[in-house]
Amino acid sequence: MSTIPARAAGAIALAGRPTARIGYGMGALTGAVSAGRLTGDAAVSLLRHAREEGAQFFDTAEFYGQGLANQLLARAFGSHRDEVVFTTEVGARPVPGAVPMTAAQRPDELRQAVEANLRSLGTDRLDLVHLRRMDMPPGLVITDPQQLVDLDDQLAALEALRESGTIGAIGLSHVSLAQLERALPAGISAVSNIYNLLDRTHEPLLRLAETGAMVWAPTSRSGRRLGRAARPQPAVAGHRRHLLRRPSRREHRRSDPATAAGDARPARCRGLSAMSHRPACSSQRVPPRTRRGDSLSCEP
């Protein structure tokens, strides 16, 4: 298997600086450490290796592993902070239990989340902060009236933090087209929405992000949305969690336009090429392969 460095995918302007288009998502790595499948030292080594292979931005959140994701990044890059870009997410806070986070959408909670990220990352600034809305499935959907916050109020809080230099840029996550259009006057730099080979629902948002020169960071989590709903889950105070089963290999092949077109390349490579065909604004977050090694690769 040949290895293609992340830097080979080119660069985008992220938070006002040239940044490699392929970054590193912290969710899976944090889960592996939390479950004891990987040691903290091994995770730190893997992160540094990702940087050596060209990954420059690291996508994290305080609610990943109760702050563990940020702590790993602080260990890995504390003395090389200017070499990396930290993108994080606010709008939720970590809680113990089967669902490890809950809504934290109020402006004061957004400010608290920014401060928490600064502390656990050991930094004085956050390069890009995504506001994670919770208005629609999949994922957490707000039912607590106190968490139903106007988007303009949330953006005002983040704009104040940007003006103070605490955060470099504002992004949106899990938003509708109408919400993105409403937020444009605030100066949105990035959008992180579900978009992949199996779900192109948010294509209009991608076109708008392209027009506004915003970074488009697609996520692949909607692969779990195909098929019938899973068995009912117990209710969680303040929100609902939507859980759907993973598609079968046969369903995936039927839904993969590259497969339908006769593309024989491995799915990992097809996915990256299909979602990165707009080099002006698209970016990718690559989760770790903790079971089979620590390479960022794409088979030819």
Side-chain angles (χ1 to χ4, degrees):
M1 180 179 68
S2 61
T3 298
I4 301 176
R7 64 180 66 89
I12 55 172
L14 183 61
R17 56 187 289 190
T19 306
R21 286 180 66 216
I22 293 183
Y24 198 94
M26 291 294 295
L29 179 64
T30 305
V33 176
S34 298
R37 298 193 302 272
L38 198 69
T39 67
D41 289 344
V44 168
S45 296
L46 193 152
L47 290 170
R48 290 172 178 165
H49 178 65
R51 179 68 190 96
E52 291 168 359
E53 290 295 316
Q56 191 175 359
F57 79 89
F58 293 81
D59 184 76
T60 186
E62 178 67 17
F63 49 80
Y64 288 175
Q66 308 271 334
L68 176 60
N70 287 353
Q71 294 164 20
L72 292 171
L73 287 171
R75 288 180 56 190
F77 305 115
S79 58
H80 301 278
R81 174 65 179 89
D82 292 337
E83 298 178 7
V84 295
V85 172
F86 288 152
T87 72
T88 188
E89 196 169 33
V90 298
R93 59 181 175 84
V95 293
V99 180
M101 66 178 184
T102 190
Q105 296 273 299
R106 299 194 306 269
D108 61 309
E109 292 176 311
L110 301 182
R111 289 188 289 267
Q112 291 169 11
V114 167
E115 292 296 329
N117 276 280
L118 291 171
R119 287 193 298 271
S120 54
L121 284 167
T123 185
D124 61 354
R125 71 188 187 283
L126 302 176
D127 300 296
L128 171 65
V129 173
H130 282 101
L131 167 61
R132 209 292 190 182
R133 291 284 297 189
M134 296 182 177
D135 305 302
M136 57 187 179
L140 303 183
V141 178
I142 295 172
T143 60
D144 181 356
Q146 295 185 356
Q147 289 294 328
L148 296 174
V149 182
D150 187 82
L151 177 60
D152 291 340
D153 293 339
Q154 294 175 312
L155 292 172
L158 293 178
E159 286 181 274
L161 291 169
R162 185 179 59 192
E163 290 173 4
S164 71
T166 304
I167 66 178
I170 300 171
L172 294 176
S173 176
H174 203 61
V175 292
S176 66
L177 177 61
Q179 288 171 329
L180 176 57
E181 291 173 334
R182 180 178 173 184
L184 289 179
I188 302 303
S189 297
V191 180
S192 179
N193 260 39
I194 289 171
Y195 182 79
N196 53 65
L197 294 175
L198 305 182
D199 189 335
R200 304 298 180 95
T201 304
H202 296 296
E203 187 84 24
L205 279 86
L206 171 56
R207 291 198 294 267
L208 180 56
E210 234 181 352
T211 302
M214 288 172 271
V215 171
W216 175 260
T219 62
S220 60
R221 288 172 295 211
S222 65
R224 296 179 180 269
R225 295 177 64 189
L226 293 183
R228 63 181 182 276
R231 62 183 181 275
Q233 301 292 317
V236 179
H239 54 71
R240 302 187 303 273
R241 183 168 179 84
H242 296 257
L243 297 174
L244 299 174
R245 70 174 177 85
R246 185 186 298 274
S248 68
R249 185 184 299 272
R250 180 175 297 176
E251 288 171 331
H252 188 281
R253 288 184 63 83
R254 284 202 304 263
S255 304
D256 185 341
T259 300
D263 191 336
R265 289 175 295 163
R268 278 185 296 147
C269 190
R270 292 197 302 269
L272 286 176
S273 63
M275 290 189 290
S276 302
H277 67 285
R278 293 175 168 89
C281 66
S282 178
S283 69
Q284 297 294 317
R285 293 175 294 179
V286 178
R289 291 166 51 215
T290 57
R291 292 184 180 179
R292 297 179 56 194
D294 55 357
S295 66
L296 297 177
S297 64
C298 183
E299 297 174 14

